[in-house]
């Protein structure tokens, strides 16, 4: 078992001003060297990601941006976890925004709160049963959920490949977003969008 010690914080808070300045300079140099040494790998990861384009999403844009950055940095397990978070936010957003009716009556606030407490698998099944999402989208959301669970619940002992799984999950999520939300393509790229995205009900099969 390997044990790692990180004294970076203590170095930056050293009581001696001169020593603190020297240590800070050394840390900056080390961080820059680490970044430069991994630059080719970052470029290859970006190249191999095969996303359609870059777009901004108000509702879960921070998580999506962080997802991409984590993947670029080689933080694959963090990418997997964030992909799972975004997928759950998508299902909650669908329940919140779409006009789901029970016995031909709009859902009450209490009913919605009950749906939000369901597991992700149950939310996906609910959305499929109400024809809010297609079988194809439900399948992709389920795939994201299952991959995420392989990491969050390691006792399942399923085979994992963090780099491949994180890449696959990013591509799955983009497919889901493109399918469910209106994204404006420009020259083959998805444009930056600053307003909240709206559900495109015509795209639901």
């Amino acid at each position: 078992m390997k044990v790692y010690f990180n004294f970076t914080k203590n170095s930056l808070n050293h009581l001696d001003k001169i020593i603190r300045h020297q240590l800070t300079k050394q840390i900056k140099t080390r961080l820059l060297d680490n970044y430069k040494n991994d630059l080719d790998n970052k470029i290859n990861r970006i190249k191999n990601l095969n996303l359609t384009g870059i777009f901004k999403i108000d509702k879960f844009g921070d998580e999506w941006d962080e997802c991409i950055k984590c993947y670029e940095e080689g933080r694959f397990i963090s990418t997997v976890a964030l992909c799972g978070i975004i997928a759950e936010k998508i299902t909650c957003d669908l329940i919140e925004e779409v006009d789901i009716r029970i016995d031909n009556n709009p859902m009450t606030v209490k009913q919605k709160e009950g749906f939000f407490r369901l597991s992700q698998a149950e939310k996906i099944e609910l959305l499929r049963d109400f024809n809010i999402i297609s079988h194809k989208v439900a399948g992709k959301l389920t795939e994201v959920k299952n991959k995420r669970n392989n990491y969050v619940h390691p006792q399942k002992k399923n085979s994992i490949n963090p780099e491949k799984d994180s890449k696959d999950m990013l591509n799955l999520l983009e497919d889901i977003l493109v399918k469910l939300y209106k994204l404006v393509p420009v020259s083959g790229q998805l444009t930056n969008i600053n307003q909240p995205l709206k559900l495109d009900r015509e795209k639901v099969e």
Side-chain angles (χ1 to χ4, degrees), residues 32-189:
L32 283 170
D33 286 343
N34 288 342
Y35 185 87
K36 289 175 184 176
N37 291 337
D38 194 45
L39 194 54
D40 287 340
N41 290 328
K42 291 181 196 297
I43 296 298
N44 285 330
R45 285 193 286 265
I46 295 169
K47 237 172 32 176
N48 294 330
L49 194 51
N50 296 326
L51 292 180
T52 306
I54 300 171
F55 52 91
K56 190 74 177 171
I57 311 166
D58 277 2
K59 288 180 179 177
F60 18 80
D62 289 342
E63 292 92 335
W64 179 255
D65 289 343
E66 190 173 341
C67 239
I68 302 293
K69 287 174 185 173
C70 281
Y71 180 81
E72 291 172 2
E73 293 289 331
R75 302 181 188 278
F76 303 123
I77 295 176
S78 297
T79 307
V80 167
L82 279 166
C83 284
I85 290 170
I86 294 171
E88 294 214 20
K89 288 199 169 194
I90 290 171
T91 55
C92 288
D93 184 50
L94 292 170
I95 292 169
E96 180 68 40
E97 296 295 335
V98 177
D99 182 23
I100 299 176
R101 291 179 173 264
I102 299 174
D103 294 330
N104 209 30
N105 295 312
M107 277 203 304
T108 64
V109 173
K110 191 172 182 179
Q111 284 171 329
K112 281 191 177 182
E113 287 174 352
F115 283 134
F116 291 144
R117 288 193 292 270
L118 296 174
S119 69
Q120 178 69 347
E122 290 169 327
K123 289 194 198 85
I124 294 169
E125 185 177 355
L126 167 87
L127 292 167
R128 179 60 223 124
D129 287 347
F130 277 95
N131 292 318
I132 305 302
I133 58 176
S134 66
H135 286 290
K136 188 174 182 181
V137 170
K140 289 182 178 182
L141 283 168
T142 299
E143 194 173 344
V144 170
K145 173 189 68 69
N146 291 340
K147 284 182 181 293
R148 173 256 186 201
N149 285 348
N150 287 340
Y151 290 83
V152 177
H153 307 293
Q155 67 271 19
K156 291 188 175 181
K157 302 193 182 300
N158 292 334
S159 60
I160 60 173
N161 182 333
E163 183 168 4
K164 182 181 184 301
D165 289 340
S166 57
K167 177 184 172 182
D168 290 346
M169 289 176 79
L170 282 168
N171 284 302
L172 282 167
L173 270 181
E174 191 192 49
D175 286 346
I176 293 165
L177 289 166
V178 170
K179 179 67 181 173
L180 293 178
Y181 294 88
K182 290 181 179 176
L183 304 174
V184 183
V186 176
S187 302
Q189 292 289 312

